[in-house]
Amino acid sequence: MSAVKRLSPPQSRKVNSLVRRECCNCDNGHCILLDDGDECVCPQLISCSLLCKWFRIAVLPLDKLLYAELFQSEDRRRCTVCGAAFASKSNSVKYCPDCRKRITRRQAAERMRKRRALVTQ
C-alpha cells in the first residue's frame, strides 16, 4: 500500500467527493495536517493519484467498492447473473446489488406461487 496509485478520472472524482465528505482533516478544501500557520490546499484534492496516507488508511475503506477497485482485494466478487464486479460483505453473496433486487423478487414470487398452489389442491 505504500506505492502511489494513479487514478482514472471517474476514480478521481469519487476520491475527491469522499475527501470532502468524510475526511476529518479536510476543512473547506484545506488540509489541517499540513497547516503550519498558513492554509494549505489538500494535496489529495489536486492530484490524480493517491498521495495522502491518512486518506488511504482511514477514509478510503469507507467506500468498499472504490477500495476494492483500487487495491484488488478479496472483497471484490463477480455477480453470477451479469458478471459485474462488486464489493461483498460476506462469503454467501452471489449477486450484485442491481441483480439482487430482481432475483429476490423473482424467488419470492415463485415461493408464494408454490404456497398458493398447495392451498388450492
Side-chain angles (χ1 to χ4, degrees):
M1 264 180 135
S2 62
V4 176
K5 290 271 190 187
R6 300 288 300 164
L7 302 173
S8 66
Q11 290 172 338
S12 182
R13 284 191 293 275
K14 288 178 187 176
V15 165
N16 287 347
S17 71
L18 197 60
V19 167
R20 290 184 193 280
R21 268 186 295 131
E22 301 293 337
C23 187
C24 63
N25 295 320
C26 184
D27 180 35
N28 294 325
H30 300 290
C31 185
I32 295 172
L33 288 178
L34 299 176
D35 189 2
D36 60 351
D38 296 329
E39 288 184 337
C40 180
V41 177
C42 179
Q44 189 59 58
L45 290 175
I46 59 173
S47 71
C48 290
S49 55
L50 284 178
L51 297 176
C52 182
K53 188 175 179 180
W54 174 262
F55 176 77
R56 274 186 288 177
I57 294 170
V59 182
L60 188 58
L62 296 175
D63 187 346
K64 292 194 178 294
L65 185 59
L66 182 61
Y67 183 80
E69 186 178 324
L70 292 174
F71 293 107
Q72 280 83 27
S73 66
E74 304 84 41
D75 299 356
R76 196 166 184 189
R77 301 188 55 145
R78 293 250 173 228
C79 178
T80 57
V81 175
C82 67
F86 66 98
S88 69
K89 295 180 181 173
S90 71
N91 289 341
S92 62
V93 178
K94 294 184 350 182
Y95 310 112
C96 68
D98 296 333
C99 293
R100 185 179 66 226
K101 287 181 185 178
R102 282 195 315 261
I103 300 292
T104 304
R105 289 188 75 179
R106 188 172 62 213
Q107 288 174 344
E110 184 64 33
R111 185 175 55 249
M112 290 307 291
R113 226 178 269 122
K114 284 182 182 178
R115 185 174 171 193
R116 288 186 203 112
L118 291 175
V119 172
T120 58
Q121 290 178 354

